[in-house]
Structure formats: C-alpha cells, structure tokens
Amino acid sequence: MIGMILADFYAMKKQLTMLGAMGALYLCIGIVSGSEHAMIAFFVLFSVMSVISSFTYNEQCRFDLFANTLPIGRHSIVLGKYMMAVISLGIADILGGICLGISHIMRHGNVSEDIDVLVFVSMIGLFFTSIALPVIFKLGSERAKFVLMAIYVLPFLAAFALTKYGIIDLDQFINVKMGQILLFLVCGDIILMGISVAVSLGIYKRKEF
C-alpha cells in the first residue's frame, strides 16, 4: 500500500510542484491580506483535487492494469487512494495552521475561532472526498466529473436557498451551533469514511481490466 501511495505522488510530481508553488503564494497572500480563512479553503480544495487528479493520471497510463499484475491485493490499491487523501488533507491542515499561526502573531486573532474554521473546512473536504472516491472507482475520472460537479454544487445551492428565503439564518446558526456542528462532522466523517472504503472495495474487487 505504501508503494501505491508513493507511485501516485511520484506520477504527479510536476502537478504537485505547481500546487506547492501556488500554495506558497496563497499562503503569503493570506498572511498579508488577513484572509487566512479563505486560504485554508484553498489548501483543502487543492488537496482534494490532487487526489481526484491521481485517478486521471492512472487512467492515462493504464496503471491499474499494471498494478493488478503485481503481487498485491486490490484492497491495497483502494486503501492507498484513501491514505493519499488523508495525507493530502493533513498537509493542507499544516499549511493552514502555519497561515493561522503567523496571522495570529501579527494580528492577535481569535485562536478558538481559527481552530474551529480549520477543523470545519477539513471535515468538509474529507466529507466530499469520501463521497467522490467510490464514484470515481465506479465511473472513472472522466465520467465522474459531471456527477461530482452536481454533488459539490447541490449543498451550496441548498444553503443559499435556505438563507435567501429566510428559512434559516445560516451565519447565526453556525456561530451558535459551531461546537455541535464540528462534533457531528467529525463523527459523521468517520462513519462515512468507513462506508466509503467498504463501497470502494466492493466496486474495485468486481472491476475487470
């Protein structure tokens, strides 16, 4: 499984170098402009996109066909993708933490609020990753793009509609219920990740190459 993770990162070294440069740029922008919360969202977005992009690289070079000739189980290939997702999100969290730490030193912001935002955005990223991976394993990266687009857009449209028509004051709800929301997201993501892994394993084991 470690070999699968290293192979994915090695295959994407050019893209990861570019993302690293962009991440450093956004890190500086976030610190200077004081928009560190937005920068955290960018870091998490980059980490999710890097995992999705790894499927495209694998399909282009037919890596799955090669990997299935190796003396490793299919579960190692699947779990390797999930470990890559966790590692990528971990790197995004570290960059976000650095951005928040420097910003706090410069502006003496609210540490508790910053940590809440970091955890919240990370859990949202993990949530979408858990949904995306089984879809990609099933449909492939190209066909899955349209499905994932709908999955990503619909929650934001729902939140916008709820706020637009006064059904719920989203800002007040988040401020008052943030602790409960974070607890729900952490527990929910753990359960969803387990379900996602099981579904992906079932899909990949039945897949023919």
Side-chain angles (χ1 to χ4, degrees):
M1 184 172 66
I2 295 176
M4 294 296 100
I5 299 171
L6 293 176
D8 280 332
F9 280 118
Y10 182 78
M12 295 177 60
K13 61 181 180 180
K14 289 184 179 179
Q15 182 180 355
L16 291 175
T17 301
M18 182 183 68
L19 288 176
M22 291 178 64
L25 176 62
Y26 278 114
L27 181 64
C28 295
I29 292 173
I31 293 171
V32 173
S33 65
S35 56
E36 58 275 1
H37 292 169
M39 295 305 105
I40 294 173
F42 278 117
F43 294 146
V44 172
L45 176 63
F46 287 156
S47 71
V48 173
M49 291 305 299
S50 67
V51 177
I52 295 175
S53 296
S54 71
F55 283 88
T56 302
Y57 280 92
N58 288 351
E59 290 176 8
Q60 288 176 347
C61 65
R62 301 182 66 81
F63 179 76
D64 283 329
L65 183 62
F66 168 73
N68 279 277
T69 64
L70 300 175
I72 57 174
R74 291 194 173 191
H75 66 279
S76 295
I77 299 174
V78 173
L79 293 177
K81 291 294 185 184
Y82 282 90
M83 286 302 300
M84 180 184 181
V86 172
I87 292 171
S88 298
L89 282 170
I91 294 173
D93 287 342
I94 291 172
L95 291 174
I98 292 172
C99 186
L100 291 176
I102 297 175
S103 178
H104 177 70
I105 292 173
M106 294 174 61
R107 297 181 182 85
H108 304 288
N110 189 325
V111 178
S112 177
E113 180 183 341
D114 290 342
I115 294 175
D116 286 347
V117 171
L118 180 61
V119 176
F120 178 79
V121 175
S122 299
M123 290 300 102
I124 293 296
L126 190 60
F127 171 82
F128 282 122
T129 302
S130 298
I131 294 177
L133 291 186
V135 176
I136 300 175
F137 276 118
K138 179 65 176 179
L139 301 178
S141 61
E142 292 302 318
R143 287 190 296 168
K145 287 179 180 178
F146 302 101
V147 178
L148 295 178
M149 190 179 299
I151 292 173
Y152 291 161
V153 169
L154 285 176
F156 292 103
L157 290 178
F160 175 78
L162 290 172
T163 305
K164 176 74 173 178
Y165 295 103
I167 299 174
I168 186 173
D169 187 336
L170 198 58
D171 291 334
Q172 184 179 1
F173 178 79
I174 291 176
N175 289 332
V176 174
K177 303 288 186 179
M178 179 56 81
Q180 297 176 22
I181 292 173
L182 291 179
L183 179 61
F184 173 79
L185 282 175
V186 171
C187 296
D189 275 348
I190 293 173
I191 295 172
L192 182 60
M193 178 65 79
I195 296 172
S196 178
V197 170
V199 172
S200 294
L201 284 171
I203 292 171
Y204 199 75
K205 284 180 179 178
R206 294 192 298 269
K207 205 167 187 178
E208 296 181 1
F209 297 96

